[in-house]
Amino acid sequence: MKVRESGMPDQRVWESFFDPAIILAKLALTSACRDVVEMGCGYGTFTTDAARVVRGSVYALDIDESILQLAKAKTRAAGLTNVEFRLQDFLQDGTGLADGSVDYVMLFNILHTEDPVALLREAYRNLTVNGKAGVIHWNHDPKTPRGPPMAIRPRPADCVNWAKDAGFDCSSIHDLPPYHYGFVLTRLG
Ligand SMILES: C[S@@+](CC[C@H](N)C(=O)[O-])C[C@H]1O[C@@H](n2cnc3c(N)ncnc32)[C@H](O)[C@@H]1O
């Protein structure tokens, strides 16, 4: 089942909203990370930069085969070989990865799902102890050029509360201009 309101505009328009390398660095994705999973990789906007940084593989999951093909083409053009794309419905079936198998989970523009705590619990399950999850979302501001409807768009405080319910320790908010905010979540135990 697709996350509600998770469609995207044309790739070039979508990618004009972010500086992925800066966002990943602010959200503590470093070369200390080995394997990473990205839940809903979309066009691969963040996948390519993540694959450049980590020591292991990026498992890039999406429910949409046509989007996965675009993301694959992007990483291929960048000459990267450490991305494993998987057609996967993470709402219905989880990530398909073993418990404690990755050092970092990317949850980018996805927490407006119906049950964000369940998604965060799945991220938590996947992480090693001291592993991290990066969360970004659209600012809670109706003037952003895209983003889910305001009625379902999470506020930063919502994300913090959901993350705590799922067992995470949560960093302070990062401003990710021009249109986003983010957090780093840590699995402590
Ligand atoms: C709003 S886009 C964000 C893409 C990417 N995270 C980014 O920020 O550039 C959400 C993506 O999640 C995918 N998606 C939605 N529901 C999903 C599900 N249940 N399982 C896997 N992927 C899903 C969509 O196909 C879409 O590519």
Side-chain angles (χ1 to χ4, degrees), residues 154-165:
R155 290 181 166 81
D158 296 325
C159 298
V160 171
N161 290 334
W162 295 332
K164 286 183 177 163
D165 283 352

Side-chain angles (χ1 to χ4, degrees), residues 61-178:
L61 316 181
D62 208 284
I63 198 171
D64 183 331
E65 176 65 41
S66 59
I67 279 203
L68 274 179
Q69 292 305 329
L70 293 170
K72 267 184 204 170
K74 186 175 166 78
T75 51
R76 206 178 306 121
L80 294 160
T81 55
N82 61 333
V83 184
E84 201 173 300
F85 290 98
R86 292 187 178 172
L87 186 63
Q88 180 89 13
D89 179 344
F90 55 68
L91 290 188
Q92 189 178 286
D93 303 321
T95 63
L97 298 172
D99 295 358
S101 58
V102 298
D103 294 327
Y104 197 98
V105 180
M106 296 159 68
L107 292 165
F108 290 1
N109 298 303
I110 205 80
L111 272 199
H112 56 284
T113 184
E114 284 83 350
D115 189 351
V117 177
L119 195 60
L120 286 157
R121 286 206 176 106
E122 176 63 1
Y124 189 95
R125 180 190 72 75
N126 278 229
L127 283 168
T128 51
V129 173
N130 293 321
K132 297 187 188 312
V135 171
I136 75 166
H137 222 305
W138 291 92
N139 290 340
H140 202 266
D141 174 357
K143 294 192 294 303
T144 58
R146 289 286 303 191
M150 295 308 291
I152 62 162
R153 199 184 291 201
R155 290 181 166 81
D158 296 325
C159 298
V160 171
N161 290 334
W162 295 332
K164 286 183 177 163
D165 283 352
F168 281 107
D169 186 65
C170 189
S171 78
S172 55
I173 183 171
H174 292 269
D175 188 23
L176 305 172

